[in-house]
Amino acid sequence: MTTGQTVRLPSVDRILGDAACLALIAHYGRAQTLACARAVLAELRTAMLAGAVCEEGASIAAIAAQMAERLQAQSRSQLRAVFNLTGTVLHTNLGRALLPDAAVQAVVEALQWPMNLEFDLETGKRGDRDDLVEELLRELTGAEAATIVNNNAAAVLLMLNTLAQGKEVVVSRGELVEIGGAFRIPDVMTRAGAVLREVGSTNRTHLADYANGVNADTALLMKVHCSNYAITGFTKSVELDELVPLAAQHGVPTAVDLGSGTLVDLAQYGLPHETTVRETIAAGADLVTFSGDKLLGGPQCGVIVGRADLIAKIKRNPLKRALRVGKLTLAALAPVLRLYRAPDLLAERLTTLRLLTRPAAAMRAQAEILQPLLQGALGAAYAVTAEAMTSQIGSGALPVDQLPSFGLAIRSTPGSRLSNPLGALEQRLRALPCPVIGRIGQDTLWLDLRCLEAAHETAFIAQLAELSA
């Protein structure tokens, strides 16, 4: 600022009366625009006292421009779409399963219309929201009844609180898993009011261990599917068909927490076999809990299926109301379940399965197209190559099994002046309008293309130019 120059800030009224600000008021409302104008003026006064404001910076046009930028940033959702190029299809931190078109359209309709969530259209009386999907779940799993809650941890909590509060639940030590966010099965059991009776050892549990663990206080024999880790080597576990007769002998139910849960044999699509819910019910489980947003490919929810009398008890638990799902979840879940009625079309229509079965050759062709474009955007500081890599199905859903994939490998070239060039690039990718999320390992930034479908490729390419800015 020139010495002796007097800078006068315009009044709030003059700013709000300007045509540019009137447009902001029309879009963001007067209260929000007024608050923004006052905040910008306060900052300008502080800067003016430090001699850092010139006449142009204090003009109404400059102030309106600052306000427009700030209001736009304030109105941007914190929940943003990203490109998942991590190689993990069912990525917990990125929202897990993507919904198929049929589910998306059903949710849009549910957002815009009143729905018969708990209204029986035939009788005109109050209905049960579980009825909207229970028949489908019975058909697909072979269970007598079903109920839905907000996630699988809630399903386990509700089941245990209903059937085992103040009593013991027998579980193998090798199945006391920890799920995401450091939540552990024993902790969930404690909160449910159940008493954990550990049997066997970490790597070997025998039927006799379960038998010795049963006593007069036993309420359940429970198996927990180790869907997020594997124990190999000198191991032994008790299969469900062995455990069921023991439970029947003592007059207690057998419960199975499948974790991710799948409704079809994934082996028919060239994927690792995962025990299905129907197989578990057929093996004699009285209750089965599983997630809706992992291998099933639907919205976040927890499903409990099994004996009708036990499900009825669970639904009468006051906790059921606290853990129940809303209309949006049910609107999304029903169309996903209906897709399973046509297993021959499932790999095409169910987004999760389509991504899991995507041919490596298709990803390779895509990588060869994108490689020169990304290389051109990054320049000589980085070397971009199209390379084979491996994808992960998902943390908590067959995490040990790897899928052959293809994508872009980025390495820094010698002579970089950055102390952490790959970290800097990863940050730049996350700062793009639609953030790109990859993974760093072995001195390489990997962009796995398994989850970059053709419909989103144009949008991905369009923002590459911003990397060279």
Side-chain angles (χ1 to χ4, degrees):
M1 184 174 80
T2 304
T3 303
Q5 181 183 0
T6 300
V7 178
R8 295 184 179 277
L9 295 176
S11 67
V12 171
D13 287 341
R14 284 189 61 201
I15 294 171
L16 296 184
D18 183 76
C21 284
L22 289 174
L24 295 178
I25 292 172
H27 186 76
Y28 297 105
R30 181 176 178 82
Q32 190 175 185
T33 306
L34 174 60
C36 184
R38 287 172 173 166
V40 171
L41 284 174
E43 291 174 8
L44 285 173
R45 288 191 190 96
T46 300
M48 185 174 64
L49 291 174
V53 176
C54 64
E55 193 74 35
E56 292 77 11
S59 68
I60 291 180
I63 293 172
Q66 285 190 58
M67 290 171 58
E69 184 177 342
R70 186 169 302 192
L71 287 167
Q72 183 181 26
Q74 291 174 352
S75 301
R76 185 182 299 124
S77 173
Q78 291 293 97
L79 187 65
R80 298 171 59 189
V82 303
F83 287 110
N84 175 15
L85 304 189
T86 64
T88 301
V89 177
L90 297 170
H91 200 301
T92 299
N93 305 126
L94 301 181
R96 292 185 181 157
L98 300 180
L99 295 181
D101 291 342
V104 172
Q105 294 306 313
V107 170
V108 170
E109 186 176 12
L111 284 166
Q112 297 176 321
W113 285 88
M115 310 293 285
N116 61 320
L117 178 63
E118 288 186 350
F119 186 83
D120 190 320
L121 294 174
E122 291 187 6
T123 65
K125 298 179 180 179
R126 180 169 182 156
D128 185 337
R129 63 184 64 195
D130 285 339
D131 291 345
L132 298 172
V133 294
E134 185 175 29
E135 184 178 344
L136 278 165
L137 285 166
R138 290 173 56 198
E139 173 189 334
L140 295 170
T141 67
E144 294 177 358
T147 189
I148 312 296
V149 289
N150 58 6
N151 60 28
N152 188 51
V156 174
L157 176 76
L158 181 61
M159 176 185 69
L160 293 175
N161 181 260
T162 303
L163 303 178
Q165 187 175 26
K167 296 185 177 181
E168 294 186 358
V169 179
V170 181
V171 184
S172 167
R173 284 189 174 88
E175 297 175 3
L176 298 178
V177 303
E178 178 179 300
I179 57 178
F183 293 101
R184 297 173 176 175
I185 284 293
D187 297 336
V188 174
M189 294 178 70
T190 299
R191 291 295 182 181
V195 178
L196 170 63
R197 170 70 70 172
E198 300 179 32
V199 298
S201 63
T202 303
N203 61 320
R204 291 180 69 81
T205 300
H206 303 271
L207 185 61
D209 294 318
Y210 284 97
N212 293 333
V214 177
N215 58 54
D217 291 328
T218 301
L220 281 175
L221 300 188
M222 184 174 175
K223 282 191 67 64
V224 181
H225 181 54
C226 303
S227 59
N228 65 354
Y229 76 101
I231 298 176
T232 59
F234 187 58
T235 64
K236 174 70 172 69
S237 61
V238 178
E239 297 299 324
L240 182 60
D241 56 4
E242 300 177 79
L243 197 60
V244 167
L246 177 65
Q249 178 185 337
H250 292 277
V252 296
T254 304
V256 179
D257 173 19
L258 277 182
S260 58
T262 180
L263 299 180
V264 292
D265 182 3
L266 298 175
Q268 65 184 298
Y269 304 104
L271 298 169
H273 174 73
E274 178 87 339
T275 302
T276 68
V277 180
R278 179 177 288 278
E279 289 171 341
T280 308
I281 290 291
D286 296 295
L287 288 170
V288 182
T289 64
F290 57 98
S291 296
D293 57 337
K294 293 182 181 177
L295 290 174
L296 194 150
Q300 177 180 303
C301 63
V303 185
I304 312 174
V305 299
R307 279 171 38 188
D309 61 324
L310 298 180
I311 295 293
K313 287 182 180 179
I314 289 170
K315 292 176 70 165
R316 288 195 297 269
N317 189 325
L319 276 178
K320 174 62 164 66
R321 184 174 181 86
L323 302 175
R324 70 183 183 180
V325 298
K327 67 174 182 176
L328 301 184
T329 299
L330 291 166
L333 180 60
V336 171
L337 293 175
R338 283 194 289 269
L339 292 180
Y340 282 87
R341 286 174 163 170
D344 52 320
L345 302 175
L346 196 61
E348 174 189 346
R349 295 178 177 176
L350 186 66
T351 308
T352 293
L353 192 54
R354 186 171 68 243
L355 294 175
L356 291 175
T357 57
R358 194 172 179 210
M363 291 177 276
R364 179 171 187 162
Q366 187 179 41
E368 290 172 349
I369 292 172
L370 296 177
Q371 183 274 329
L373 300 177
L374 183 57
Q375 183 67 78
L378 296 180
Y382 298 93
V384 182
T385 55
E387 295 185 18
M389 52 191 70
T390 55
S391 298
Q392 183 185 39
I393 294 175
S395 51
L398 298 173
V400 177
D401 298 284
Q402 303 291 314
L403 303 176
S405 187
F406 220 89
L408 302 172
I410 308 171
R411 300 175 180 88
S412 61
T413 55
S416 174
R417 290 176 293 179
L418 296 172
S419 60
N420 182 14
L422 290 181
L425 177 57
E426 183 192 34
Q427 187 174 12
R428 288 165 61 193
L429 288 168
R430 286 188 280 109
L432 288 171
C434 185
V436 175
I437 315 297
R439 71 179 190 273
I440 293 179
Q442 301 172 317
D443 296 321
T444 304
L445 174 55
W446 306 92
L447 301 182
D448 191 310
L449 298 178
R450 178 170 293 277
C451 294
L452 182 62
E453 294 196 276
H456 299 140
E457 189 177 297
T458 300
F460 177 79
I461 293 172
Q463 63 177 12
L464 291 182
E466 299 198 23
L467 292 172
S468 59

